[in-house]
Amino acid sequence: MQDVAEAAGVSLKTVSRVVNNEPRVSEETKERVKQAISALGFRRNDIARSLRRGQASSTIGLIIEDIANPFYSSIALGVEQVAQQYNYMVIMSNSEEHPLRERELANALLRRRVEGLLIVPAGRDHSYLLPELQLGTPIIFLDRPPINLPADVILLENQGGARKAINHLLERGHRRIGLICGDPLVHTGSGRTAGYREALAGYGVPIDETLMYFGCDAAPQAQAAIQALLALPEPPTAIFTTSNRISVAVLRFLYQQRKQLAFIGFDDFDFADLLPLPVTVVAHNPVEFGKIAAELLFARLNGDSRPPQRLILPTELIVRGSGELPPSNLH
Amino acid sequence: MQDVAEAAGVSLKTVSRVVNNEPRVSEETKERVKQAISALGFRRNDIARSLRRGQASSTIGLIIEDIANPFYSSIALGVEQVAQQYNYMVIMSNSEEHPLRERELANALLRRRVEGLLIVPAGRDHSYLLPELQLGTPIIFLDRPPINLPADVILLENQGGARKAINHLLERGHRRIGLICGDPLVHTGSGRTAGYREALAGYGVPIDETLMYFGCDAAPQAQAAIQALLALPEPPTAIFTTSNRISVAVLRFLYQQRKQLAFIGFDDFDFADLLPLPVTVVAHNPVEFGKIAAELLFARLNGDSRPPQRLILPTELIVRGSGELPPSNLH
């Protein structure tokens, strides 16, 4: 440790402050210490451990969007099951989709000396994590890739999953297919929209922008979108939604209005099979997603030094009835 | 701190080990140090803080049964929202309903220096937490009371909620009401069963033990129970289930078998209002539950020294259709 302090030209105390993410260290000093650690080939955890006299935190940090969303609570379950096997515990936090909050949480977790981070990112720039990554703290991104940071990422087959759904509707004769999507700038939204466009193009069906609604993650926006789509002079005969939350809002609206039209949603959900018209979905396994991410994190902690990995998890179309209604069945 | 070491007749290092729940300290030494701390009127957090040179962990621990159950993920959300306001983070862990694992997790959390614990207990004896409680670490029990430990507890109105449900069915003429319940030794199961018995007794309806099934938390057991109830020479005309997971399993069976009978479940759930026959439930607010528990924990951390509190949160019967079917409607 003395080596690091000497190389950086600072006191041991300052090295300790930097490694533990404590306040009151200038950015310039931080950078110098981190470069010294990096140049000497140490890993942050080794440093931290030595400063703590042999005691590692045995915790990892998990930042998700909202634990009350079953997609994220299933991921959290998978992460925790793997962490248990390694005798680690998980500090869990919700970014609520705020970029600034994601950054605050990441820093708050690192101050608590987590040995690795799993992040479903909300922000659009993750370069702030570069020094930490260079110090050897494993950081794995889930569901959306990091931006400006060469880190591991695990994604769903977004484009392919959406393409399967739209092809399924096209094969049944649908040509006017409404898209109700979340934020199109988020990786999942853009990938699923790309799959929608790609499938239509493959069938030679021109894209009609009036059938596409974005920014519909919240129920009121999703319900406004389906209402507007149904009010078109030539309404769609089928709907594709890009997430479980949007599906629920749209289906609730359709039931209340006693409207029935072909429907496929991305993400499976409880009761999709029990609704009056069972719901066809693009399914995947979020518990497995969490497990795979945590396994990669522990591999990194245990010395796996491959270049950043990018894993794509498969999706599966589950046919239940709503996606098989013919175009004529509108209203 | 030196005072504690002297009073206990041990080294400062040993005091530190005890306070940080580190291994390799005999039970007898632990007890002596804890008694010394207690006798001198210190609180564990003060001690821990001083040993850590002014740095508190700013984390709290949460032990639940299963984060993938929406009841618990909603509690976790409420806890985390309150923790954020106090600039604390939450280490979350799943006991999977194993008493031994609950104890391991509590110890693992305390070793990580959480400043307070929120526990949905799985065990039948919590005296192991008494020393920690005496050292001033706030411990709040959720959903089930502690056993052999004078700690705060927040419960649902279990007996009253079940009574409301059964009275509702009795008022509509039902006299044979099936009960499909979880573990009857767990507080929630016993309270809800007591409400069932109490309502029937109030109507002068004799208890028929052949209508009562226990140990049905898992779907296969719940489905075996409903199947057995329907196969009785004189089957029930209504069913009461004691949790969201049991409701889902039983409803899935009824739909698959195309059977319809009056039904009320304890716990609301997503889509209860959208099922072909919307489901009447005994509802409560699990996010609020988590918030209230966390607020009490932070009050304790900030010096609230009232005797152990016991709060009962209200339930509400939400009428949607399934609980209003008349007795004649069987099959």
Side-chain angles (χ1 to χ4, degrees):
Chain A
M1 205 47 39
Q2 197 58 48
D3 299 348
V4 173
E6 278 172 22
V10 299
S11 69
L12 257 181
K13 179 84 197 152
T14 302
V15 175
S16 164
R17 280 214 182 102
V18 172
V19 169
N20 291 321
N21 285 287
E22 287 172 27
R24 290 188 304 274
V25 184
S26 75
E27 285 302 319
E28 191 241 340
T29 304
K30 257 187 220 168
E31 201 40 52
R32 221 160 59 217
V33 170
K34 288 177 173 181
Q35 275 173 7
I37 291 172
S38 209
L40 290 165
F42 286 111
R43 283 170 48 91
R44 178 177 182 276
N45 284 318
D46 303 331
I47 305 274
R49 225 172 255 131
S50 79
L51 288 169
R52 275 177 258 145
R53 297 198 204 132
Q55 199 181 28
S57 77
S58 295
T59 58
I60 58 174
L62 171 65
I63 302 176
I64 53 180
E65 193 200 323
D66 169 13
I67 191 67
N69 181 330
F71 174 61
Y72 295 113
S73 62
S74 298
I75 285 181
L77 181 68
V79 167
E80 217 241 321
Q81 286 177 345
V82 170
Q84 276 187 23
Q85 290 166 19
Y86 289 87
N87 287 315
Y88 273 64
M89 300 192 94
V90 182
I91 305 185
M92 189 216 49
S93 55
N94 299 310
S95 71
E96 293 162 20
E97 198 68 65
H98 293 155
L100 185 61
R101 180 138 181 78
E102 171 209 299
R103 188 171 175 157
E104 286 170 359
L105 290 174
N107 286 326
L109 287 164
L110 293 168
R111 272 200 303 278
R112 283 166 181 79
R113 299 169 173 170
V114 293
E115 297 184 33
L117 272 182
L118 295 161
I119 305 184
V120 177
R124 318 269 327 137
D125 179 7
H126 303 101
S127 57
Y128 72 95
L129 287 167
L130 188 60
E132 196 61 38
L133 198 63
Q134 286 172 337
L135 290 179
T137 305
I139 305 178
I140 317 276
F141 284 75
L142 284 74
D143 204 36
R144 307 163 184 174
I147 298 171
N148 305 326
L149 187 76
D152 293 314
V153 57
I154 304 180
L155 303 169
L156 289 174
E157 180 206 21
N158 293 303
Q159 187 162 345
R163 194 175 54 229
K164 272 183 272 193
I166 304 305
N167 276 336
H168 189 77
L169 294 167
L170 288 164
E171 285 159 14
R172 274 147 196 83
H174 295 277
R175 292 297 177 269
R176 293 186 65 72
I177 302 172
L179 171 77
I180 306 182
C181 184
D183 185 341
L185 296 178
V186 167
H187 179 80
T188 45
S190 72
R192 294 168 198 178
T193 302
Y196 168 90
R197 288 177 179 275
E198 189 189 9
L200 290 172
Y203 258 72
V205 176
I207 301 292
D208 180 348
E209 303 281 346
T210 65
L211 294 179
M212 302 168 75
Y213 278 78
F214 296 96
C216 300
D217 280 315
Q221 281 74 15
Q223 298 193 337
I226 179 66
Q227 190 162 22
L229 284 167
L230 292 177
L232 286 175
E234 201 186 340
T237 60
I239 299 289
F240 175 61
T241 57
T242 62
S243 79
N244 58 353
R245 288 290 166 99
I246 300 174
S247 301
V248 171
V250 168
L251 288 170
R252 179 156 277 139
F253 180 87
L254 291 173
Y255 285 122
Q256 282 161 356
Q257 302 287 314
R258 300 182 192 285
K259 303 269 189 196
Q260 194 167 74
L261 67 169
F263 181 96
I264 302 182
F266 205 106
D267 297 328
D268 201 1
F269 54 91
D270 265 358
F271 291 103
D273 57 329
L274 290 189
L275 293 183
L277 176 62
V279 183
T280 296
V281 296
V282 179
H284 46 85
N285 187 334
V287 175
E288 193 60 26
F289 194 151
K291 285 185 179 180
I292 290 169
E295 286 290 2
L296 180 54
L297 186 143
F298 286 106
R300 292 302 194 189
L301 270 178
N302 291 319
D304 174 351
S305 59
R306 288 174 298 167
Q309 299 292 299
R310 184 184 179 96
L311 304 179
I312 312 283
L313 305 183
T315 61
E316 179 196 2
L317 189 75
I318 300 184
V319 169
R320 295 201 180 108
S322 72
E324 292 67 49
L325 289 184
S328 57
N329 211 20
L330 181 60
H331 307 314
Chain B
M1 205 48 38
Q2 196 58 48
D3 300 347
V4 174
E6 278 171 22
V10 299
S11 68
L12 257 181
K13 178 86 198 152
T14 303
V15 175
S16 163
R17 280 213 182 102
V18 172
V19 169
N20 291 320
N21 284 287
E22 286 172 27
R24 289 188 303 274
V25 185
S26 75
E27 285 303 319
E28 190 242 339
T29 305
K30 258 188 220 167
E31 202 39 53
R32 221 161 61 217
V33 170
K34 287 177 175 182
Q35 275 171 9
I37 291 173
S38 208
L40 291 166
F42 286 110
R43 283 169 49 90
R44 178 178 183 277
N45 285 319
D46 303 331
I47 306 274
R49 225 171 257 130
S50 78
L51 288 168
R52 276 177 256 144
R53 297 197 202 132
Q55 196 181 32
S57 77
S58 294
T59 58
I60 59 174
L62 170 66
I63 301 177
I64 53 181
E65 192 199 325
D66 169 12
I67 190 67
N69 181 329
F71 174 62
Y72 295 112
S73 61
S74 298
I75 285 181
L77 181 68
V79 167
E80 216 240 320
Q81 286 177 346
V82 170
Q84 276 186 23
Q85 290 166 18
Y86 289 87
N87 286 317
Y88 273 65
M89 300 192 96
V90 182
I91 305 185
M92 188 216 52
S93 55
N94 300 308
S95 72
E96 293 162 20
E97 199 68 66
H98 292 154
L100 185 62
R101 179 135 184 82
E102 171 209 300
R103 187 170 176 159
E104 287 170 358
L105 290 174
N107 286 326
L109 288 164
L110 293 168
R111 271 199 305 277
R112 283 166 181 80
R113 300 169 172 169
V114 294
E115 297 184 33
L117 273 182
L118 296 162
I119 305 184
V120 178
R124 318 268 329 137
D125 180 7
H126 303 101
S127 57
Y128 73 96
L129 286 167
L130 188 59
E132 197 61 38
L133 198 64
Q134 287 172 336
L135 290 179
T137 304
I139 305 178
I140 317 277
F141 285 74
L142 284 75
D143 204 35
R144 306 162 185 176
I147 298 172
N148 306 325
L149 189 75
D152 293 314
V153 58
I154 304 178
L155 303 168
L156 289 174
E157 180 205 22
N158 292 304
Q159 187 162 345
R163 195 175 55 229
K164 270 183 273 191
I166 304 304
N167 277 336
H168 189 77
L169 294 167
L170 288 163
E171 285 160 14
R172 272 148 197 83
H174 294 276
R175 292 297 176 269
R176 292 187 64 72
I177 302 172
L179 171 76
I180 307 182
C181 183
D183 185 341
L185 296 178
V186 168
H187 178 80
T188 44
S190 71
R192 294 168 198 177
T193 302
Y196 168 91
R197 288 177 180 276
E198 189 189 8
L200 290 171
Y203 258 73
V205 176
I207 301 291
D208 180 348
E209 304 281 347
T210 64
L211 295 179
M212 301 168 73
Y213 278 78
F214 297 97
C216 301
D217 279 316
Q221 280 74 16
Q223 298 193 338
I226 179 66
Q227 191 162 20
L229 284 166
L230 293 177
L232 285 175
E234 201 186 339
T237 61
I239 300 289
F240 174 62
T241 57
T242 62
S243 79
N244 59 352
R245 288 291 167 98
I246 299 175
S247 301
V248 171
V250 168
L251 289 170
R252 181 157 275 142
F253 180 87
L254 291 173
Y255 286 123
Q256 281 161 357
Q257 302 288 313
R258 300 182 192 286
K259 303 268 188 196
Q260 194 167 74
L261 68 169
F263 181 96
I264 302 183
F266 205 105
D267 298 328
D268 200 1
F269 54 91
D270 266 358
F271 291 103
D273 57 329
L274 289 189
L275 293 183
L277 176 61
V279 183
T280 296
V281 296
V282 180
H284 47 85
N285 187 336
V287 175
E288 193 61 26
F289 194 151
K291 285 185 180 179
I292 289 169
E295 287 290 3
L296 180 55
L297 187 142
F298 285 107
R300 293 300 195 188
L301 270 179
N302 291 320
D304 174 353
S305 59
R306 288 174 297 167
Q309 300 292 300
R310 184 184 178 95
L311 304 179
I312 311 283
L313 305 183
T315 61
E316 178 197 2
L317 189 76
I318 300 184
V319 169
R320 295 203 180 105
S322 72
E324 293 68 50
L325 289 183
S328 57
N329 210 19
L330 182 60
H331 307 313

